[in-house]
Amino acid sequence: MVAVMDDLRYGVRSLSRRPAFTAFAAFTVALGVGATTAIFSTVEAVLINPLPYEHGDRMAGLFRRLSANAGAYVPPSPEQRAAWSGQTDLFEALEPWSGRPMTLTGAGEPRVLLSALVRPAFLELLGRSPVMGRVFSEQELAGDGARVVVVSHDFWQSALGGGPDALGRSVQLDGVPWTVIGVLPPATPLPGWGLTSVPIWRPFGSAREGDAVQVTALLAEGATLAHVNERLREMGDAAGGTNDWFGEASLVTDQISRGVVGSLGLLMGAVVLLLAIACVNVSNLLLFRAETRKRETAVRAALGGGARRLGRQLLVESLLLAGLGGGLGLLLAVGARQLILAMRPGQLEVLDSAGLNGTVLAFALGVTLLTGLVFGLLPAVHTVRREALDTLRSGARTAGDVVGGRARWLLVVSEVALSFAPLLGSVAVVTTLLEKQSGDVGFDADRVIALEVEAPGWRYPTGVERAPVYERILERLAGIPGVERVARASGLPPRAGITFGTLEIEGRDPTEDVVVLHGPTVGEGYFETLGQPIVAGRGFDARDLQNEARVMVVGEGTAEAFFPDGDAIGSRLRVSQDAEWTTIVGVAGDVAMTGLNPNRVPLQAYTPLSGRREEGAFTIRVSPGVDAQALIPTVRAEVRAIDEDLRVDGLATAEAHMITSLENERFLTTLMTTFAALALLLAAVGLYGVVSQVVGQRTREIGIRIALGARRIEVSGMVLRSAVSATTAGVLIGAVLTGGVVRALDGTVFGVEANTPSTYVIAAVGLMATALLAAWAPSRRAAGVDPVRAMRVE
């Protein structure tokens, strides 16, 4: 222990005597440790421990799936909820809930907040009880008119001052006062489709008819998800229902990680490679430093310092350096986490819980120790080898220089090889994202403004009262200078709504297959306003709307799927046997109905708005040459001029809405590009360092070459050739090693196709260009060597 303490003190003195070297090496380690820790905290929050609840691994959402081939889910029926609640061998607890947006007024600018309608038993399922106040009473739960709410911890602090006087206060929600009776503890998200922060919790009895009632259950101990789903299917069959409608359970943890597992795996792989590059870089620095400490090492060896003692000293210095870099890396991880949260897409709200908890800190400590051992091992072994010590004792330098030089060049090759994978991944995701963003959406997205307006229910309780408001909005929007057309709809791409059921075509045998048709209910001039072409037949006119005609316009893909002979126009169909027959009057071009990243183009169908006069989505087509983005403030002002309580949502250009549908992909691309840039930077620094060291060691040789007539451009080329040779070897090795991983991941991360020749070529060219830039300055310095000075110094 005394010897180790001596090594620690000597290591601190040794590192402090070279502050520039220590700072650079520690910062290199910090980059690797910080990036790895930041991404691990994300992985831990999403994949390892996404739910802040004791039994989060057993929490599941229960749904009614339309059919095995439809791939769509809806809330279960009341009959299904009643039947499932008695299955104690499957569910330890089963609770319904619903969600509804509410407008908060009287506290500055009106804000839209999500409210959850629950029973006290739902909070018991979560294992949460108020830190202040109480939950709902039986009378309040029965919906007897009492307006009481329990609020989240964040809402209590931000909107109510965070004091005990919040209990009993009133908050104005949807134009009426609600009394605060309790405050929930921090980190109480709603486990629905993923996790959602909910500021307002209301009694379940205040639910309105038509509210979608979801179900969250706690699986019984020992009940597997597969067994639960098998039983739910059996119960549906036993109840006499068709096999197109059956219950299905989905773990909340799976819902959170669905669609991001591949992306997070790719990011974790990228930062591990970045950490490895940092280790190689620091190892190269320590190897060079060991060469410069030959006289010191020889003296210590002559004084009786054995190989083990010398090796231990170097490892202790490496661990000190790693500890310094690890501490700085934690600070970088905190900053990186804030950047990640600022960039995170809305679907990944679970990342808000990511932080430096005990698991993440233990991981960071382990990574730091492992890093110190890895980058310190090669210099320690190189220094304490018996032949190296003999060389040092004899005062020779050639053998050590040759061995050390070869090791450093091998490390450069490994750096380049390790850098190839993140660079290849970055090129692949950037290329794929650009292709998706430039994809054809099927309409003039750059000339269309989209918005949704909701007339508050407390002001306009019925559809009859809302309809005139929406008509006035239509008129005012049409009167804005620069607006060419305006139309209404029930929704807009990429959130246009769906219709589902068993599809029956007149004159054909009915089937039990359930189809999902994407598309809104639209008003007059919708297709012309959007710029969506009608390729056959016609769109809707005023007569269709006034007479509430049973007509439909289908998408091209739908027409081809169900009417391959081209006889869609005039055909009649209905969705579900209870519906009325609807005549197809037109075929419209398909649009990006679900955004720019669909796995397939969904079936599309449109019906007239005649029966849904209270829908408040609007499309605005601007005149040619008019900046659509510049009109957005005017559009908002015109709507608010009608009624300040009107809620305007999603006001943006259609192009912006489409790009928003790629927010997960943009998030991944930004992180991948950042890590690739850091990998390139570290590789460039490593190459620059080695080439500079080689030029310094060969100064006398270079001086002699120049004295004997070598042209300076030849000397520069000699240095560049060494760098290019090492980089080429690294690129070839990296391409071979990366190929297998790429083939395994190809197409698993939002359709990325990395295993293409162009991707490999771009990554290779990027690495070669980086290598040339890194070696350029040392090569210029070599070409400028003064022969007389070089030999005089020697």
Side-chain angles (χ1 to χ4, degrees), residues 72 86 89 98 143 203 260 298 350 358 421 463 547 630 648 672 766:
D89 59 327
S98 184
V260 299
V350 65
N547 300 329
V648 180
M672 277 297 299

Side-chain angles (χ1 to χ4, degrees), residues 126-149:
L126 301 182
R128 292 289 194 269
S129 57
V131 293
M132 287 176 53
R134 61 178 179 85
V135 295
F136 316 117
S137 66
E138 290 297 328
Q139 293 77 14
E140 293 162 345
L141 194 63
D144 60 353
R147 295 191 178 94
V148 294
V149 294

